[in-house]
Amino acid sequence: MRKIVLLGLVALGLSACAAPPTVDAEFRVEGKGTAQLTYQFPGSKLPEVVTTQLPVIIKRTPEGSGPVTLSVRPASGIVTCRIVLEHKEVAKQTGGNVDCRADLPGSAPN
């Protein structure tokens, strides 16, 4: 019985160590009208580009570490972009065309 419990604990420990860390990430864009959003997470080869009605919140759980980027090009007016990681705002820009950038944990700033 002791061997089974010990093997179970070892297996549990190994699986916990092997899992890559994940971070809840949100892009929040405030404003009126429509805007083109271009965003990219670590692990994605190409940025995603969408045109959407504002305001909008995009939620993801990216894997790995590295830069997270968001560019907002509104049809008109002023917008605010925010990057929120683990429920904490880490980047914010306001203007006509705005770019936000943050680093997921474990990455080195450029």
Side-chain angles (χ1 to χ4, degrees), residues 25-27 40-42 62 66-70 83 85 100-104:
E26 292 183 3
F27 291 143
Q40 189 164 12
F41 292 100
V68 177
T69 59
L70 168 63
I83 297 177
L85 302 177
C100 285
R101 183 186 186 285
D103 291 305
L104 285 176

Side-chain angles (χ1 to χ4, degrees), residues 4-108:
I4 293 172
V5 172
L6 182 58
L7 289 175
L9 291 173
V10 169
L12 180 63
L14 290 176
S15 65
C17 292
T22 58
V23 173
D24 291 328
E26 292 183 3
F27 291 143
R28 298 179 184 177
V29 182
E30 301 165 2
K32 294 183 180 182
T34 60
Q36 181 182 42
L37 310 180
T38 304
Y39 57 93
Q40 189 164 12
F41 292 100
S44 60
K45 294 181 182 181
L46 297 172
E48 294 185 53
V49 180
V50 296
T51 299
T52 188
Q53 192 69 33
L54 300 178
V56 67
I57 297 174
I58 298 171
K59 296 181 181 184
R60 297 284 189 274
T61 305
E63 293 182 14
S65 62
V68 177
T69 59
L70 168 63
S71 296
V72 182
R73 304 297 178 251
S76 63
I78 302 297
V79 294
T80 298
C81 73
R82 302 171 194 269
I83 297 177
V84 178
L85 302 177
E86 293 297 324
H87 311 288
K88 181 176 159 186
E89 184 177 292
V90 295
K92 177 182 174 184
Q93 294 291 322
T94 300
N97 292 326
V98 293
D99 299 302
C100 285
R101 183 186 186 285
D103 291 305
L104 285 176
S107 64

